[in-house]
Amino acid sequence: AQSVTQLGSHVSVSEGALVLLRCNYSSSVPPYLFWYVQYPNQGLQLLLKYTTGATLVKGINGFEAEFKKSETSFHLTKPSAHMSDAAEYFCAVLRGANNLFFGTGTRLTVIP
Amino acid sequence: EPEVTQTPSHQVTQMGQEVILRCVPISNHLYFYWYRQILGQKVEFLVSFYNNEISEKSEIFDDQFSVERPDGSNFTLKIRSTKLEDSAMYFCASSTSGGNNEQFFGPGTRLTVL
């Protein structure tokens, strides 16, 4: 069955620095991959998703992710971190018809 | 902007009691979901619901759990006899269609079983 693994439960970056959050997937079929963000006391919000087509996917708030089949990766990046990016980030893969299998999450801290 | 709402935000119950968690999905959505997140662990799929029936469920969703859409707006998760290990954040989500379409999540209900 499809699964994802997030490397690094906590990532700290300085404001203005590159954000890189890692996600690797396992799937015997072409995967549908997602990144969600969770701000404190809020639900999960979709940042971006990869289904088919272009492997570089752009999302909201300046985030993007690249699907790399050869590396089974779908890492999330943002060129310049902002204080408002501090949150928990979840990578997910669609498993079955409708259910999302989530990674364990990465908490991003942005240092002023 | 339409959003998924959940009530209550926090529910405390005694072990063995029944609880009902309520969700109001986005009005034109047709697919509904429940997920849970035990403190410090990953978000886990429980069940998906479409056309008034369960379309998928995980191994977590055993006979203690049930879902219902009692009217045109609410979507509920019932736990018949709560256990300590049911303590978690429960998230409701909805989408316009299934598959890879975006699931919109509510803010969650924190269930504490004593």
Side-chain angles (χ1 to χ4, degrees):
Chain A
Q2 295 92 326
S3 67
V4 290
T5 302
Q6 291 185 244
L7 299 175
S9 58
H10 290 89
V11 169
S12 293
V13 300
S14 297
E15 191 174 15
L18 171 72
V19 175
L20 170 61
L21 305 181
R22 298 177 187 274
C23 174
N24 287 89
Y25 71 88
S26 172
S27 179
S28 58
V29 298
Y32 293 147
L33 295 160
F34 305 79
W35 275 100
Y36 277 83
V37 61
Q38 185 181 29
Y39 299 103
N41 301 316
Q42 295 185 29
L44 289 82
Q45 180 184 8
L46 182 68
L47 278 176
L48 49 81
K49 67 178 182 181
Y50 170 78
T51 54
T52 58
T55 56
L56 182 62
V57 181
K58 295 187 185 299
I60 62 172
N61 301 339
F63 284 93
E64 61 183 37
E66 187 170 10
F67 173 70
K68 290 188 177 180
K69 185 178 178 181
S70 61
E71 299 178 9
T72 62
S73 68
F74 189 58
H75 301 331
L76 182 71
T77 61
K78 181 174 180 177
S80 176
H82 192 272
M83 296 298 294
S84 61
D85 294 327
E88 185 104 21
Y89 292 80
F90 295 91
C91 180
V93 63
L94 187 69
R95 178 188 276 186
N98 297 309
N99 87 70
L100 292 172
F101 180 90
F102 285 90
T104 49
T106 299
R107 182 167 298 279
L108 176 67
T109 300
V110 182
I111 304 165
Chain B
E1 184 177 329
E3 58 184 17
V4 176
T5 59
Q6 291 184 243
T7 55
S9 57
H10 192 189
Q11 173 93 44
V12 181
T13 189
Q14 296 290 325
M15 189 170 56
Q17 294 297 304
E18 174 184 288
V19 294
I20 297 176
L21 308 183
R22 290 184 166 79
C23 168
V24 178
I26 295 173
S27 62
N28 63 337
H29 286 188
L30 301 177
Y31 287 76
F32 314 111
Y33 314 85
W34 284 101
Y35 291 81
R36 79 172 187 191
Q37 184 179 29
I38 295 172
L39 188 63
Q41 298 185 25
K42 63 173 66 177
V43 177
E44 301 172 291
F45 170 78
L46 293 178
V47 66
S48 62
F49 190 85
Y50 170 70
N51 200 26
N52 279 320
E53 60 183 29
I54 290 173
S55 53
E56 272 186 292
K57 62 181 182 178
S58 71
E59 58 275 8
I60 302 169
F61 194 87
D62 61 22
D63 292 344
Q64 295 285 357
F65 293 89
S66 62
V67 288
E68 190 179 27
R69 188 154 163 82
D71 52 42
S73 59
N74 290 283
F75 179 52
T76 62
L77 174 69
K78 181 191 291 186
I79 309 174
R80 288 189 183 79
S81 178
T82 50
K83 305 176 195 137
L84 295 177
E85 55 264 37
D86 293 328
S87 295
M89 181 73 89
Y90 288 81
F91 293 104
C92 174
S94 67
S95 62
T96 54
S97 59
N100 60 39
N101 285 282
E102 179 178 357
Q103 295 181 21
F104 291 79
F105 284 76
T109 292
R110 180 165 297 285
L111 177 64
T112 302
V113 182
L114 303 176

